[in-house]
Structures are given as structure tokens and as C-alpha cells.
Amino acid sequence: MKLLRLNFSFWLMILLTSISLSAYSASFYATVSKNKVVQNEVFQLRLVSDQPANAEAIDFSHLEEDFFTSRPSFVSSVNIINNQRSQRSEWTLSLAANRLGVLTIPSFELNGQRTDPISIQVSVDEQAPQMDELVQLQSTLSRDTLYPTESTVLTTRLTIKADRRRLQNTHITPPSVDGMTIGQIGETQQYQTVIAGIEATIIEQQYRLTAIQAGEYHLVEPRFQGSYLLGNTLHGGARIIPLNTEPNTYSLVVEPQPSDYQGAWLPTSQLTLTDHWTNSQGAPITDSVYHLEVGDALTRDITLQVAGLSAEQLPTLALSYPDSISVYEQKPQFTTLDNGNTLMQLKQVLIPRRSGEIQLPDINIHWWNSRTKQAQLSQAKGLSLDVSATQPINSISPSVPNHTTAVSAQTIVVKEAGLWPYLAALLATFWLVTLGLYWRLYRKHTRLNEQETTNIQPGSTWQQLQNALTTQDAMMINHALSRWLNESPLTDAEREQVQQTLNTLHENKFSLNSQTCDYQALNTLIKRLQQEALKRAAKTQHPLAKL
């Protein structure tokens, strides 16, 4: 009986050993670094096979329902020991449970072999930070009641209080609304700040929503999605914190356009219109009637600030100026302010061409106040001009000394000539030689006077014109050139040539497609005409005719 028991124990041990060896020698198996974890804690899953395989041989997609998964790492190796060849294929990936309870890592199959399922017990992580301690997304809407073509501004602010280098798979879904147009305003603003002693990154962005037609609409704010790696993966205990914000929804109401509204439809909650007048020296003009001369320039700076409208929706300021005014208008400049308002700046250079009283027009803009729900008129007053003609400087004829001397004639009767005729002839010869030398010196002096007269320039006016051309100040050039034209003895054709050249330069400078002006051609022209005019004046004013 005792021998029978020993035999039974022996055979039982052999059976258990064979079962254990059979399980250990399985060619395909799966292991985990932990089977008891807290939610979002990272652990490792490893699959090993002694058969050749590739990285895509195992499908891990069915793990994504219960776990956060990393990209699998695959290693294949071949070992030869004592002429015995062995193959090894290994997959490794990181997992983190995304819900509580007992989760199961399913069985994997490779070439007809399967791994055993693995149960993972997941408990609550009481030390895990809340999402708003890491990331916050806030948004504000400037207005929720609009009119057709009116806009509202959505401002979003993403606050990241965690280390940005540990953020993974981040994505921001932009805002959305059906039935309205939405577009980004400017560039995304990003900066660092300190919140309650914690360094944080702020990302701000604005969006413009434009109503198309009346109705009720729903705006969904942006949504942030991603994850945050908490802890150290090398020493264990790392966690993947999911970061998924829940977007808020805003209700918007677009009211219909009033049926009794007259004029161009311009709905806005705020409209500010101003203009600023300055003279050619840049000094502000405050008088209701401004006195100036023909050719003097003045500048009108127009500023229009509108809320809830884009640059494309702003009206075109078409002003009707009198024919006696030359208008040079620059291209309007548009700027989006920090509060979302649109700012338009327009500069006009006005130059009177004729004397008299000139009335510059007002600026009138009709618009619909969407806050008070009333039609309004914004106005910028014009300006009255009293333009006088530029008085030419009286030309002063140079005084020329009279080199002739009146000689009284006497009749001398010589009864006896003697030596006197010879002496008289000698004196006459000396007199003729002296007269010739005098005439030669006089001609040389006259040529020098003509050369100096040719180089004469009309003093301060000419210097002002040259200074203006050097600085390329358009208004100063026009002012100085007008004075110079009135003072210089030019022909009508020459004046027209100068005016055409100046108009061409101004059109290039103040047109919508502004170009760089080169005033060298104008300077060369007026210098040539100046020389020709003064030469003509010198010829007509010279008192002695050429012999």
C-alpha cells in the first residue's frame, strides 16, 4: 500500500512538470508590467513569438476602446548558438486604462497561435490633477443680437498651466456655426504669464462671425483635445491625463432689416467719423475760414472707426470737390484694433488752383445703430477757403553806368600850321589807341555782367524750392514751385510744361497704386528754364546795342 502511494506521487509529479514545461515552451505569449493600476497609469504590454514576423502582423486597434495606446515598438532578432538557430519577434507598447473596473487585454493571434487574455484591475487615482488645473479654454462673444451683414467677435483664450513639452496629440477644433460666415481675425497671439504663482502659456485668437439673413443660430465654441504625460516613464508611475474640453454653445439672433430704412445699409453698434486739417507746414487748421494763396497745399486726414464690420464692408468716401481744387488721394489704410473694431484712415492733399472763396464739402455717413435700433447720421464738417493770388516780385532793372561824355564842339581857325598839325595827329593817334583799349575793357566787363546776370536766382523762393526738392516733400514742393512760377519770367508754354510734370509726379505719389517719385527730372527742367528766362531778360534790359 505504501509503495502504491509512492508510485502515484511520482507519476503525478511527472504529469505536472510536463504540463508546466508545455506552457512555458509556448511559442507566442503576452505579458504586462502591472495588472493592478490606477486610472490613466502607464504600464507596458509585451508580446513575444519565436517565429519570424513583421511589425504589422499584430492588430492592436481593439485596445483603443479601453486603453490609451502608444505606437507599438517592434524588434526582430536571430540567434545562433552551437549551430542551433532561434528566431525572436517582440512587440512592446504602453497602455493606460481610461476607465475604472476590471478591463481585459484580449487574446492576440499569430500564425494560428494565440495568447492568453490578461485581466487588468483599474482603481481610482486620488492624486490625479483635475483637467482645469492643467488646461482651461474660455471664450467671450461681443454681441449676440445682430442685423444682416453685421458682425460679432468671438474671443477665445486657451490657458496651459502645465509643461507644454508633456502635451501629446493636441488638437484645437475651431468654432462652428451654421448659416453664418466665420473667419479668423489676425494672427494667433501667444505669450507667457504667471497665474497664482504658476507659469502659464496663454494662446488667444479672435474670430469674426457675420450674419447673412435673419433668424436664430447656434455657435459652438472651440474645443481642445489632447493628453498630458504626468510622472516619469523610466521609473514607473507615469500617468496619461486626458484633456478634452466640453465646448459651450451660444445662441445668436439676427433681426431683419427695417423696412423703412433709407440709404445704403450700414448696421453697426458704433461709428466714429473725424477729420483733421493741416497746412503745408503740418500745423493744424482750427479756423472756420482758412486764408491761403494759390498753390498752397493743405491736408485732410479722415478717420473712420466702425464696430462689427470688416474692411470690405466699410463705405467708400466719394467726395465731390470743386474744379478749382486739385485733389491727390492716398490709398485708404485699414487696421483691426484690439477690440475687434475696424479703423480706416484716408489722407487727401488739396491744392487750390484759382483764387477766390472755395467751400470744401462735408462728409456725411448714414448708418443704422443696432443698439438703439435707430437710423443715425455722422458728419465731418468741411472747410471754407479764402484763396488769394500770389503776388509776383517786381523785377528791378540793373542800373548801367553811362560811359559817354558830352563834348562841346569848338571851331578853331589856324592861320599858321607850323608843328601843330603833327602834334595833333600824334595826339589823335594816342586818343584812338586809348579809345580802343577802353572799348576792349568795356566789352569784357559787359560779358562778365551778362554771365553774372545769367546765374542770378530769385533769392529765398529759389532756395525754398531747392530745399523742398531735396527733401521730396510734395506739399512744400507745390508751394515753393507756385511762388517761383509767379516770380520767374517764363512763357506760357514753359509754365504749362512745368505744371504737367508736377501733376504727373503727384498722380504717381497720391494715386491708389502709390509709387516712389523722383523729382530729379522736375529739378533739371526748372533749372534749364530758369537759365533761359534770365538770359532773355538780360538781352532785353541791356542799354547798349552790340556794335
Side-chain angles (χ1 to χ4, degrees):
M1 187 68 179
K2 187 175 182 180
L3 181 61
L4 182 61
R5 289 180 178 178
L6 289 175
N7 290 335
F8 178 76
S9 300
F10 174 76
W11 289 110
L12 180 61
M13 184 178 298
I14 292 177
L15 178 61
L16 293 175
T17 302
S18 62
I19 294 175
S20 177
L21 290 175
S22 175
Y24 181 78
S25 61
S27 60
F28 185 43
Y29 61 92
T31 62
V32 293
S33 59
K34 286 184 177 182
N35 58 8
K36 292 183 179 181
V37 295
V38 296
Q39 187 177 8
N40 300 319
E41 183 180 359
V42 179
F43 62 96
Q44 305 297 318
L45 170 65
R46 189 165 63 100
L47 277 69
V48 180
S49 174
D50 60 358
Q51 299 181 16
N54 54 51
E56 291 76 21
I58 303 298
D59 182 15
F60 296 98
S61 60
H62 47 280
L63 291 173
E64 297 176 356
E65 182 178 354
D66 296 328
F67 301 92
F68 296 106
T69 63
S70 67
R71 182 183 298 274
S73 172
F74 174 74
V75 177
S76 178
S77 61
V78 176
N79 296 324
I80 300 177
I81 301 176
N82 296 328
N83 294 327
Q84 297 294 324
R85 184 177 184 275
S86 62
Q87 181 82 31
R88 183 182 178 89
S89 300
E90 182 175 336
W91 295 262
T92 304
L93 70 160
S94 299
L95 301 179
N98 57 19
R99 62 186 181 89
L100 302 175
V102 178
L103 307 181
T104 301
I105 297 178
S107 174
F108 296 94
E109 182 179 0
L110 178 66
N111 298 330
Q113 296 180 334
R114 303 185 66 89
T115 63
D116 295 330
I118 302 175
S119 297
I120 305 296
Q121 185 176 348
V122 184
S123 58
V124 177
D125 186 4
E126 297 179 353
Q127 298 180 352
Q130 299 296 321
M131 187 184 66
D132 58 359
E133 297 178 7
L134 302 175
V135 172
Q136 285 182 325
L137 181 61
Q138 300 169 319
S139 62
T140 57
L141 190 64
S142 60
R143 298 191 62 207
D144 56 7
T145 302
L146 305 173
Y147 283 87
T149 71
E150 190 179 7
S151 300
T152 183
V153 176
L154 175 69
T155 303
T156 62
R157 177 186 173 101
L158 176 64
T159 304
I160 302 175
K161 303 178 183 179
D163 188 353
R164 290 180 300 162
R165 295 171 296 182
R166 289 180 169 268
L167 292 176
Q168 299 178 344
N169 304 321
T170 58
H171 176 70
I172 298 178
T173 304
S176 61
V177 58
D178 293 332
M180 301 179 67
T181 61
I182 183 170
Q184 183 174 312
I185 301 177
E187 299 294 334
T188 302
Q189 303 296 322
Q190 179 174 323
Y191 57 92
Q192 303 294 124
T193 187
V194 177
I195 301 176
I198 298 177
E199 184 177 0
T201 301
I202 306 297
I203 301 176
E204 292 182 347
Q205 181 63 63
Q206 289 185 324
Y207 300 88
R208 184 183 299 278
L209 290 79
T210 304
I212 300 177
Q213 58 184 4
E216 295 184 3
Y217 303 91
H218 299 282
L219 167 67
V220 180
E221 71 174 0
R223 180 181 182 182
F224 178 83
Q225 294 173 296
S227 59
Y228 181 75
L229 181 60
L230 181 66
N232 194 328
T233 57
L234 297 178
H235 299 86
R239 293 165 174 77
I240 297 179
I241 309 299
L243 304 175
N244 299 314
T245 62
E246 289 296 330
N248 295 324
T249 301
Y250 296 92
S251 296
L252 295 96
V253 177
V254 180
E255 298 186 359
Q257 177 179 339
S259 58
D260 57 348
Y261 180 82
Q262 301 294 327
W265 177 243
L266 188 65
T268 176
S269 59
Q270 180 184 3
L271 187 147
T272 304
L273 174 65
T274 58
D275 64 350
H276 182 64
W277 299 89
T278 55
N279 59 19
S280 59
Q281 306 298 326
I285 299 174
T286 57
D287 300 333
S288 58
V289 178
Y290 180 62
H291 302 274
L292 72 166
E293 296 181 353
V294 173
D296 288 349
L298 65 156
T299 303
R300 188 177 196 177
D301 292 302
I302 304 171
T303 302
L304 178 64
Q305 182 175 339
V306 182
L309 295 177
S310 62
E312 294 77 12
Q313 295 174 294
L314 296 187
T316 301
L317 300 181
L319 302 180
S320 178
Y321 285 96
D323 295 337
S324 57
I325 292 290
S326 296
V327 181
Y328 303 98
E329 184 176 290
Q330 291 185 350
K331 185 178 180 180
Q333 302 295 323
F334 296 95
T335 306
T336 301
L337 305 180
D338 294 338
N339 58 1
N341 292 356
T342 301
L343 178 67
M344 183 187 75
Q345 294 175 305
L346 177 63
K347 182 177 182 180
Q348 295 177 335
V349 179
L350 311 176
I351 302 174
R353 297 183 296 177
R354 293 194 295 269
S355 60
E357 295 183 357
I358 302 176
Q359 181 63 42
L360 302 182
D362 301 338
I363 304 176
N364 298 314
I365 297 180
H366 295 271
W367 57 286
W368 177 261
N369 192 325
S370 58
R371 288 192 181 275
T372 62
K373 300 183 179 181
Q374 293 179 348
Q376 288 191 209
L377 171 65
S378 293
Q379 186 179 68
K381 289 293 185 180
L383 184 65
S384 297
L385 302 181
D386 183 9
V387 184
S388 59
T390 304
Q391 297 296 328
I393 297 177
N394 296 328
S395 58
I396 302 176
S397 300
S399 59
V400 180
N402 187 5
H403 297 283
T404 60
T405 304
V407 180
S408 59
Q410 295 181 357
T411 303
I412 301 175
V413 179
V414 180
K415 295 181 179 180
E416 293 182 1
L419 295 176
W420 289 108
Y422 301 101
L423 293 175
L426 181 60
L427 292 175
T429 302
F430 285 137
W431 182 81
L432 291 175
V433 172
T434 303
L435 183 61
L437 293 174
Y438 175 80
W439 178 253
R440 183 177 179 182
L441 292 175
Y442 174 76
R443 289 290 299 167
K444 182 177 181 181
H445 178 69
T446 302
R447 286 194 297 270
L448 291 176
N449 285 341
E450 290 179 357
Q451 183 176 1
E452 292 176 358
T453 303
T454 304
N455 294 329
I456 292 177
Q457 299 172 352
S460 61
T461 302
W462 177 264
Q463 189 61 42
Q464 289 178 4
L465 178 56
Q466 291 300 311
N467 293 340
L469 289 170
T470 301
T471 59
Q472 297 192 357
D473 188 325
M475 290 185 292
M476 292 297 297
I477 290 174
N478 189 84
H479 177 74
L481 186 61
S482 177
R483 290 181 175 272
W484 177 79
L485 288 175
N486 288 328
E487 297 174 6
S488 300
L490 302 181
T491 64
D492 293 340
E494 291 173 339
R495 294 176 186 274
E496 183 65 23
Q497 185 180 3
V498 173
Q499 192 63 45
Q500 289 180 357
T501 303
L502 180 64
N503 290 340
T504 301
L505 292 173
H506 281 179
E507 288 175 0
N508 293 336
K509 183 176 182 63
F510 298 109
S511 63
L512 293 180
N513 298 323
S514 180
Q515 304 176 11
T516 302
C517 293
D518 184 8
Y519 290 96
Q520 183 60 37
L522 177 62
N523 196 12
T524 303
L525 174 63
I526 62 176
K527 285 183 177 180
R528 178 175 61 81
L529 297 179
Q530 170 77 359
Q531 297 291 336
E532 294 177 357
L534 292 178
K535 286 181 181 179
R536 291 195 301 267
K539 291 180 180 179
T540 57
Q541 294 176 2
H542 202 285
L544 296 178
K546 293 184 179 181
L547 296 177

